[in-house]
Amino acid sequence: MFPESSIGYIYITLGVIYIFPAFICFAVLIQPPLNHSSAYKFMCFISVMDIYNIAACCFFAGFYSITDATYQNTPSMLVVGSISLALWVSYCAINIILAFDRLVCLYSTQWANFLFNGKRAFAWIGLALLAGGQMLIEFDGKQFYHYNSSIGGWRFELRPEGTVSTFENKRAQIEQTQKTPEMSAFPAFRKTTGTCL
């Protein structure tokens, strides 16, 4: 629909629009007395995740689209992708923890204080970070989270040991096709000379 570079400029423009409200929300959430509540501590952490997500999905993605970057010519893309994936899992985990916190508060103030009051909230945030951190551990192969300029989005692949990604396979097939000399539809005739073998 759009040229790759145009998508990049759209992403960056949206990032500039979105980043300011995200910072304003963060600035409000860290102010007392809000920062004394476990729910607002969790929302503050969610706000930090939002800011990083905007950076990855708008600014980094926009730059990669404009420059037509790939993970081969921009190795830092894999680092950004891995961190984005880990923080996305942490983001999901902290939202579940926040919902649990609200349900406990509705059920019993005593239980809410016991589970979430004071520094205990930071233990729950640590648990969410741990959930994201385990995504950086390679169990069954190399995790491969990269930006694809041709589709304007991030792609996740899990490469078993000793294999290559589908992107690399497709690229190798294209290069092989370009190197293979063009042959006639009939194997008995060579197109370059037109003579019978």
Side-chain angles (χ1 to χ4, degrees):
M1 180 183 282
F2 297 106
E4 292 170 11
S5 59
S6 298
I7 293 173
Y9 290 116
I10 291 170
Y11 283 164
I12 290 175
T13 302
L14 291 174
V16 171
I17 294 169
Y18 296 153
I19 200 76
F20 289 109
F23 274 116
I24 291 169
C25 288
F26 177 73
V28 170
L29 290 170
I30 61 174
Q31 298 298 320
L34 297 180
N35 61 2
H36 299 306
S37 166
S38 60
Y40 285 102
K41 287 174 184 173
F42 297 150
M43 285 190 276
C44 183
F45 181 71
I46 289 170
S47 183
V48 172
M49 299 295 100
D50 283 334
I51 291 168
Y52 179 83
N53 194 39
I54 291 169
C57 295
C58 293
F59 297 124
F60 282 108
F63 171 77
Y64 294 148
S65 283
I66 292 168
T67 59
D68 196 25
T70 66
Y71 65 90
Q72 285 125 331
N73 61 27
T74 313
S76 61
M77 179 188 294
L78 297 179
V79 177
V80 173
S82 296
I83 294 172
S84 298
L85 180 62
L87 292 182
W88 178 75
V89 173
S90 294
Y91 180 88
C92 295
I94 198 66
N95 277 281
I96 294 169
I97 291 168
L98 175 60
F100 178 61
D101 170 71
R102 295 297 83 201
L103 288 172
V104 172
C105 284
L106 286 172
Y107 175 73
S108 168
T109 305
Q110 183 179 356
W111 272 103
N113 289 334
F114 175 73
L115 291 173
F116 301 106
N117 197 29
K119 293 183 179 178
R120 293 185 184 95
F122 294 108
W124 290 96
I125 291 173
L127 188 65
L129 286 171
L130 190 63
Q134 58 87 27
M135 292 301 296
L136 300 175
I137 302 171
E138 297 175 357
F139 291 107
D140 298 321
K142 184 173 179 59
Q143 294 178 11
F144 196 62
Y145 196 62
H146 63 97
Y147 184 78
N148 188 332
S149 299
S150 63
I151 63 172
W154 291 90
R155 293 188 60 183
F156 176 77
E157 297 178 45
L158 183 63
R159 291 192 293 178
E161 293 298 331
T163 63
V164 296
S165 72
T166 55
F167 180 81
E168 288 173 324
N169 262 334
K170 191 175 289 186
R171 190 182 186 99
Q173 288 171 0
I174 292 170
E175 289 175 355
Q176 186 63 31
T177 303
Q178 291 171 346
K179 289 178 183 177
T180 304
E182 189 176 6
M183 301 296 287
S184 169
F186 299 98
F189 295 91
R190 190 187 302 276
K191 190 173 182 181
T192 51
T193 61
T195 59
C196 182
L197 295 177

